[in-house]
Amino acid sequence: MMELAANRFTSIWQRGSVVMPGALVAFIVAAAALFLSEHYGGPAMLFALLLGMALHFLATHEQCKPGIEFTARRLLRIGVALLGARITVDQIFALGAGPLILVASCMALTIFAGLALARFFGRDWTFGILTGGAVAICGASAALAISAVLPRRPGHEQNTLFTVVAVTSLSTIAMIAYPILFSALGFDDTQIGILIGATIHDVAQVVGAGYAVSDLAGDTATYVKLLRVALLPVIVIGLSLLAMPKGDRGAAPWPMFALAFVLILVVNSVGLIPPLLREVLNGASQWLLIAAIAALGIKTSLQAMFSLGGGHLAIVVFETLLIAGLAMTLIVFL
């Protein structure tokens, strides 16, 4: 028994020593991105992407490559699962039926639009699902989660990174423009909060835009955004089920991290996660996701990004405008 335990420890130590250099690089980039975000403003995920791209030469480095791959895949999934500690079932139910109908309708139509646009621009269907899901749900986090369960087609990682860059950049623009636009159109603070929460891609930008209007708008925007985040595992599990029967060698396995997300959400909802532990889990999720994005940035070159063409950008921009238009239309009727 002791020998078995010793062998197990040695195996874990050896694997850890292999991935440590690359993972350490990713977390150093994440720390730099958080420092820039806290001291100079701007989304930490975007900083992590840009800094990671500058270190692309490490993607093929013999010592760094295993850890970069490990961070971009394994640690990413753990970070997504820990997002469940942010929300509770009560928060979802408190929104009522109206926001739920609005969010579900916008999500479904945006994802289907992504599929249609991908076909129109001659892109693979996985790119349409990836961008549509990222725009419809929660931006970069959704892009990373959905990417993890999609078939591994050629250009998969470049498409994932492009989506993260695009939705993060458009989300930052929306954070500035949407409060001004929605106020000018005569919506009250509650409606503005619903619109911001239903249309801006990333959580941080939703919070920033909502509270820039008022506390009421900020609270409402946060709840609606959390509703979109709560639907992430439903989409991820559904996509994995669609991919698995195809027998595609690149199809993803059952997404245990999505089930872990649901489990943590339920445990958090019944009050079994103490406030201090919840803060720790939220902080860990943030670090893991930012490090994963940094690792993705390291793995992809700008040359590969630009070779994707203008059709990629057109798809994401159209999806962003579509979800905003749908939300404004539906809120008038609901």
Side-chain angles (χ1 to χ4, degrees):
M1 182 66 70
M2 293 295 294
E3 183 179 354
L4 180 62
N7 291 336
R8 180 66 175 172
F9 176 79
T10 301
S11 175
I12 294 174
W13 177 263
Q14 290 175 343
R15 282 184 289 178
S17 63
V18 170
V19 301
M20 181 62 70
L24 185 60
V25 170
F27 277 96
I28 291 174
V29 173
L34 284 169
F35 177 85
L36 291 172
S37 177
E38 292 172 0
H39 289 80
Y40 300 101
M45 287 190 176
L46 183 58
F47 286 135
L49 278 171
L50 296 176
L51 292 173
M53 289 180 189
L55 298 175
H56 173 64
F57 63 92
L58 293 176
T60 55
H61 193 280
E62 183 178 354
Q63 289 183 315
C64 293
K65 184 177 180 179
I68 292 170
E69 294 281 352
F70 177 80
T71 305
R73 292 193 180 186
R74 297 291 183 88
L75 296 187
L76 157 66
R77 297 184 178 194
I78 297 174
V80 172
L82 293 180
L83 286 173
R86 293 186 182 185
I87 59 179
T88 65
V89 174
D90 289 339
Q91 289 175 323
I92 296 172
F93 287 158
L95 294 171
L100 176 60
I101 295 172
L102 185 147
V103 167
S105 300
C106 289
M107 284 179 58
L109 291 171
T110 302
I111 292 173
F112 281 119
L115 278 171
L117 288 167
R119 183 173 182 178
F120 178 79
F121 284 99
R123 267 53 177 183
D124 191 80
W125 68 269
T126 57
F127 182 72
I129 290 289
L130 181 64
T131 57
V135 170
I137 306 173
C138 53
S141 299
L144 295 172
I146 292 172
S147 173
V149 299
L150 286 176
R152 311 290 294 184
R153 301 294 179 84
H156 178 78
E157 291 177 351
Q158 289 89 344
N159 287 340
T160 300
L161 184 58
F162 176 88
T163 302
V164 171
V165 172
V167 297
T168 302
S169 301
L170 290 172
S171 187
T172 301
I173 295 172
M175 180 179 66
I176 300 171
Y178 282 6
I180 300 172
L181 173 63
F182 297 151
S183 297
L185 293 175
F187 294 110
D188 60 36
D189 285 4
T190 300
Q191 292 174 321
I192 291 175
I194 293 174
L195 288 170
I196 287 174
T199 57
I200 295 181
H201 312 323
D202 290 319
V203 175
Q205 282 86 335
V206 167
V207 173
Y211 286 107
V213 177
S214 68
D215 288 342
L216 175 59
D219 291 341
T220 305
T222 301
Y223 287 140
V224 174
K225 183 61 180 177
L226 291 177
L227 176 58
R228 293 166 67 191
V229 174
L231 294 174
L232 175 60
V234 177
I235 300 298
V236 171
I237 291 172
L239 288 173
S240 70
L241 291 174
L242 290 174
M244 288 171 68
K246 295 181 178 180
D248 190 335
R249 183 175 295 183
W254 182 266
M256 296 303 295
F257 70 95
L259 298 181
F261 176 99
V262 176
L263 177 61
I264 294 173
L265 186 154
V266 172
V267 172
N268 187 39
S269 299
V270 298
L272 295 180
I273 300 181
L276 180 58
L277 179 57
R278 189 183 304 117
E279 290 183 11
V280 172
L281 293 177
N282 289 337
S285 176
Q286 180 188 37
W287 274 95
L288 290 171
L289 290 176
I290 293 175
I293 291 179
L296 280 174
I298 294 171
K299 290 175 64 177
T300 304
S301 67
L302 285 174
Q303 182 179 2
M305 285 278 298
F306 292 142
S307 67
L308 296 174
H312 274 52
L313 182 60
I315 291 172
V316 181
V317 170
F318 187 87
E319 291 165 344
T320 300
L321 296 176
L322 174 65
I323 196 171
L326 287 172
M328 286 188 287
T329 302
L330 290 172
I331 201 170
V332 174
F333 292 100
L334 296 177

